[in-house]
Amino acid sequence: MKTAARIYTFLIFLFLYAPIVVLIIFSFNSSSVGSRSVFTGFSLRWYNQLFQDSMLLAALRNTLIIAVVAAAVSTVLGTAAALGITRMNKWLRRVVMDVTNFPMVNPDIVTGVSLMLLFVAGNKLIGGSTLGMASLILAHITFCLPYVILSVMPKLRQMDPNLAEAAQDLGCTPRAAFFKVVLPEIMPGIMTGLIMAFTLSIDDFVVSYFTSGTTQTLPIFIYSMTRKRVSPEINALSTCLFGIIIVLLLIINVRTAKDKKSDEAPAKEV
C-alpha cells in the first residue's frame, strides 16, 4: 500500500508540475521561431527580448503595482476584519462568515460584471475617471479580502484569548499588547494571506478584463497576444514570476521554521 501511495503521489506531482518544467525549459530555447515542440539549444535570447518589449513591461508594471497595493490593503483590512469577527457572538459570526465566503464561490464572471456596473454607475453619480487603475485595484481588493480573512481566522482561534489581557495586566497599553503579543501570534496567517492575495491578483484575468478599461495587465496582454501568436517571451516572463514566488515561499518557510525552533527552545529548557 505504501508503494502504491508513493506512486500515486508522484503521478499527482508530475501532472501538476510537468507543464511548468516544460515552460522553464523552453524559455531557454535558442530556436529563432520560438518553437514550443523542438528544443534546439540553450540561449538567453528570449530573456533579452523580454526586457526590450516596452508594451509587455508596461503590462507587467501595472500588474505588479496592482498586486502589491491590493495585497497590502486587503491584508490590513482582512486582519482587522478577522479580529472583529472573532469577537462577535456565534450567530452573527456565522452570518458574517457566510457573507465573507460568498465572493469565493461566486463565479468570477458574475463578480467582474457586477463590479464593472458598480464602477460605471459610481462614475456617473459622482463623476471622475472611467475604468482604469483605480477600479482594478478596488476590484482586486474585493476578491482578495475573503482569502486574507480565512487565512488569519485559524491563527486567532489557536491563540489563547487571554494573552492580550495578561499583557495589559503586566503594564502594556492595548495598542502595545496588540503589536507585541497578538500580532506575532497571528503573523504566519497574515503572511499566508498576503502571499495568497498577491498571487491571486497577479493571476486574475476575468475580473480584470471587465474592470480594466484601457489599462492592460499581464493576463489581459497575454490574452490579446493569443489572437495572433504567443511569443516565447511569455515563457521567460512566466519563469521569472515562478522563480520570484518560489523565493518568497522559501523565505516565509525558513522564517516560520526559525520561529518554531525559537519557541520550542525555551520550553525544552524548562
Side-chain angles (χ1 to χ4, degrees):
M1 291 298 293
K2 290 184 178 180
T3 303
R6 290 175 181 174
I7 294 174
Y8 177 76
T9 304
F10 172 77
L11 292 176
I12 291 296
F13 279 101
L14 180 66
F15 177 78
L16 290 175
Y17 291 102
I20 298 176
V21 173
V22 172
L23 180 145
I24 294 174
I25 292 174
F26 277 89
S27 71
F28 297 102
N29 193 1
S30 63
S31 172
S32 59
V33 296
S35 174
R36 293 187 294 271
S37 58
V38 179
F39 188 83
T40 58
F42 181 86
S43 174
L44 295 175
R45 63 177 299 168
W46 301 116
Y47 288 88
N48 293 329
Q49 291 190 21
L50 168 65
F51 293 104
Q52 295 174 2
D53 191 331
S54 59
M55 293 183 64
L56 192 150
L57 291 178
L60 175 61
R61 183 182 66 250
N62 292 337
T63 300
L64 292 178
I65 291 173
I66 294 167
V68 170
V69 175
V73 175
S74 62
T75 299
V76 174
L77 295 178
T79 302
L83 289 168
I85 292 171
T86 55
R87 297 176 183 177
M88 295 177 179
N89 61 61
K90 180 179 178 181
W91 295 105
L92 182 58
R93 182 167 61 247
R94 181 175 297 179
V95 172
V96 173
M97 288 305 300
D98 289 340
V99 174
T100 301
N101 293 334
F102 184 75
M104 301 174 61
V105 298
N106 194 40
D108 286 345
I109 191 169
V110 176
T111 302
V113 172
S114 60
L115 287 172
M116 178 190 67
L117 295 175
L118 174 65
F119 293 141
V120 171
N123 288 333
K124 289 183 178 180
L125 289 175
I126 63 176
S129 60
T130 57
L131 298 176
M133 185 68 78
S135 61
L136 275 169
I137 292 174
L138 291 174
H140 283 225
I141 292 172
T142 300
F143 69 74
C144 288
L145 194 56
Y147 293 94
V148 177
I149 294 174
L150 292 179
S151 298
V152 177
M153 288 289 291
K155 292 298 179 182
L156 287 171
R157 294 194 193 100
Q158 295 172 9
M159 185 184 71
D160 188 341
N162 299 317
L163 283 177
E165 294 180 3
Q168 294 180 49
D169 290 340
L170 294 174
C172 281
T173 63
R175 178 178 296 181
F178 172 76
F179 284 103
K180 292 183 178 181
V181 177
V182 177
L183 193 61
E185 287 289 325
I186 63 175
M187 186 56 68
I190 294 175
M191 296 305 300
T192 300
L194 177 66
I195 294 175
M196 186 175 295
F198 181 77
T199 54
L200 286 171
S201 179
I202 289 179
D203 181 62
D204 180 72
F205 168 73
V206 177
V207 176
S208 299
Y209 183 79
F210 286 101
T211 59
S212 61
T214 57
T215 304
Q216 274 200 330
T217 62
L218 191 60
I220 296 174
F221 180 81
I222 295 173
Y223 172 74
S224 64
M225 291 177 62
T226 58
R227 299 176 183 177
K228 297 178 182 179
R229 178 175 175 272
V230 178
S231 171
E233 297 170 13
I234 299 302
N235 294 344
L237 178 61
S238 301
T239 301
C240 293
L241 292 175
F242 179 75
I244 292 171
I245 297 299
I246 288 295
V247 170
L248 288 175
L249 290 175
L250 288 175
I251 292 173
I252 296 301
N253 288 334
V254 169
R255 182 177 177 179
T256 303
K258 288 182 178 179
D259 291 341
K260 287 183 178 179
K261 287 182 180 179
S262 62
D263 292 339
E264 293 174 356
K268 290 181 179 179
E269 292 177 1
V270 174

